[in-house]
Amino acid sequence: PHHTHDHFHGHFHSHDQSNNEVELNTSSNGAVCYDPDCQDHSHSHSHRSENENSLNTQTHAGIGTYVYRARRPFHPSRLLSALQKLPIVRGVPSEKGSAIHMDDASEKVFQQILRSKGFAWTADSNVKALYWSHAGCSFEMQCLGRWWATLPKHQWPDEATDDILADFDSPDHEESAATDTSSTVGDRRQEIVFIGTGLGSKETQSAIRKTLDSCLLNDDEWDCFRSQRTNEALLMSSFENLLEARMLT
C-alpha cells in the first residue's frame, strides 16, 4: 500500500534507548531554538524524556515546551472538547464534544499554548497515523498514511528500519500475532509537543497531561477498541470523529 511516512521520517531523529523522546528544535551549534514558527531545516531534533507522559522542558523568555506521550488512542469526542479550549478559530468543528473536566486554571493553560504538533492516534482507526498541527489560531489534523506496525516489515525501507523500531513500544511487537489482549501497539502513539508561555512549570505540564489523559480511552473503551481493532468501519461507528483528517500529499 502507498505509504506517506517518508515526509516525517525525513526529519532528523536522535534516539536515546535509555529514555523516551522529547522534541526541541536545536540549531547546528547545539543551542535550543524556541521560535514556534521556525522552518530552518538546519535545526535538529533532540529527544529526551523522563516518562511516558511527560518530559524535560526548556524555557526562554517565558516560553516553554512540553511533550505529551501515551500509548492509547484518544476518544475523538473528548479530544474535540479539549481542542476547543485552545486559542483556535480555524480547523476545529464547532459541534460540542463529550464533556471533560477542566478547572479554570487548566483552561488558562490551554489558552497560553502558542503551537502544538506531533503524532496522534484517534480511536476511530487502528490504521491511520495522524499528524496534529496547530499554530496560532489554526489547527489541522493530517493523515500521514498507515502506522508502520500495520505494514509487513519487508515493505519497510531498509535504511529506516532502526528508526522505525525505535518508535515501537516493543521491538518484539508482531501485528500478525496481535490479539484482543495484546499489550503492545507498535508505533501507534500520542507524541505531541506543546509550546507556549509558562509551560516550563510543573503545574502547567500537569494541567496539559491531566486534560489529555482524560481524552484517552478508559479501560472499558480500550477493551471495546481492541475487540473491534480489525474492523475499521466498526471503529468509525463506535468512535465517531468530527475532526476531518486531510490526507498528506
Side-chain angles (χ1 to χ4, degrees), residues 7-8 11 23 45 115-121 128-134 139-145 147 191-193 245-246 248:
H7 168 82
F8 202 84
H11 292 281
E23 181 176 56
H45 295 157
R115 187 173 184 184
S116 51
K117 57 182 179 176
F119 288 109
W121 177 22
K128 295 178 182 177
L130 302 178
Y131 187 69
W132 162 317
S133 178
H134 152 233
F139 177 86
E140 184 175 40
M141 192 74 87
Q142 300 173 340
C143 180
L144 297 175
W147 294 109
E191 186 179 9
I192 306 158
V193 60
R246 180 179 67 86
L248 187 68

Side-chain angles (χ1 to χ4, degrees), residues 127-182:
V127 173
K128 295 178 182 177
L130 302 178
Y131 187 69
W132 162 317
S133 178
H134 152 233
C137 61
S138 298
F139 177 86
E140 184 175 40
M141 192 74 87
Q142 300 173 340
C143 180
L144 297 175
R146 304 171 67 97
W147 294 109
W148 286 112
T150 68
L151 294 171
K153 290 183 178 179
H154 71 264
Q155 294 186 14
W156 296 1
D158 290 340
E159 69 278 7
T161 296
D162 288 344
D163 281 343
I164 293 171
L165 287 175
D167 288 329
F168 275 48
D169 55 350
S170 170
D172 298 324
H173 174 83
E174 288 292 343
E175 195 76 7
S176 61
T179 68
D180 293 358
T181 59
S182 295

Side-chain angles (χ1 to χ4, degrees), residues 29 35 60 64 88 109 133 180 246:
N29 63 6
D35 180 359
H60 179 75
I88 293 170
V109 169
S133 178
D180 293 358
R246 180 179 67 86

Side-chain angles (χ1 to χ4, degrees), residues 39-201:
Q39 300 296 323
D40 185 346
H41 295 291
S42 70
H43 289 193
S44 64
H45 295 157
S46 173
H47 299 270
R48 299 182 305 277
S49 179
E50 293 176 340
N51 56 53
E52 187 71 7
N53 289 91
S54 63
L55 54 83
N56 300 330
T57 57
Q58 301 287 336
T59 58
H60 179 75
I63 302 296
T65 62
Y66 170 76
V67 176
Y68 175 83
R69 359 167 64 81
R71 290 286 182 170
R72 278 194 188 188
F74 287 127
H75 191 292
S77 186
R78 293 199 293 275
L79 177 62
L80 174 59
S81 292
L83 290 173
Q84 289 170 343
K85 301 298 183 181
L86 290 169
I88 293 170
V89 297
R90 292 190 298 271
V92 174
S94 59
E95 289 89 343
K96 189 175 182 180
S98 299
I100 57 173
H101 173 71
M102 288 183 72
D103 57 26
D104 291 343
S106 295
E107 291 197 17
K108 183 178 179 181
V109 169
F110 268 61
Q111 287 295 311
Q112 294 172 333
I113 295 171
L114 303 174
R115 187 173 184 184
S116 51
K117 57 182 179 176
F119 288 109
W121 177 22
T122 53
D124 57 310
S125 177
N126 195 37
V127 173
K128 295 178 182 177
L130 302 178
Y131 187 69
W132 162 317
S133 178
H134 152 233
C137 61
S138 298
F139 177 86
E140 184 175 40
M141 192 74 87
Q142 300 173 340
C143 180
L144 297 175
R146 304 171 67 97
W147 294 109
W148 286 112
T150 68
L151 294 171
K153 290 183 178 179
H154 71 264
Q155 294 186 14
W156 296 1
D158 290 340
E159 69 278 7
T161 296
D162 288 344
D163 281 343
I164 293 171
L165 287 175
D167 288 329
F168 275 48
D169 55 350
S170 170
D172 298 324
H173 174 83
E174 288 292 343
E175 195 76 7
S176 61
T179 68
D180 293 358
T181 59
S182 295
S183 60
T184 61
V185 296
D187 59 326
R188 300 175 180 90
R189 66 197 185 279
Q190 320 296 352
E191 186 179 9
I192 306 158
V193 60
F194 292 87
I195 303 168
T197 55
L199 264 61
S201 76

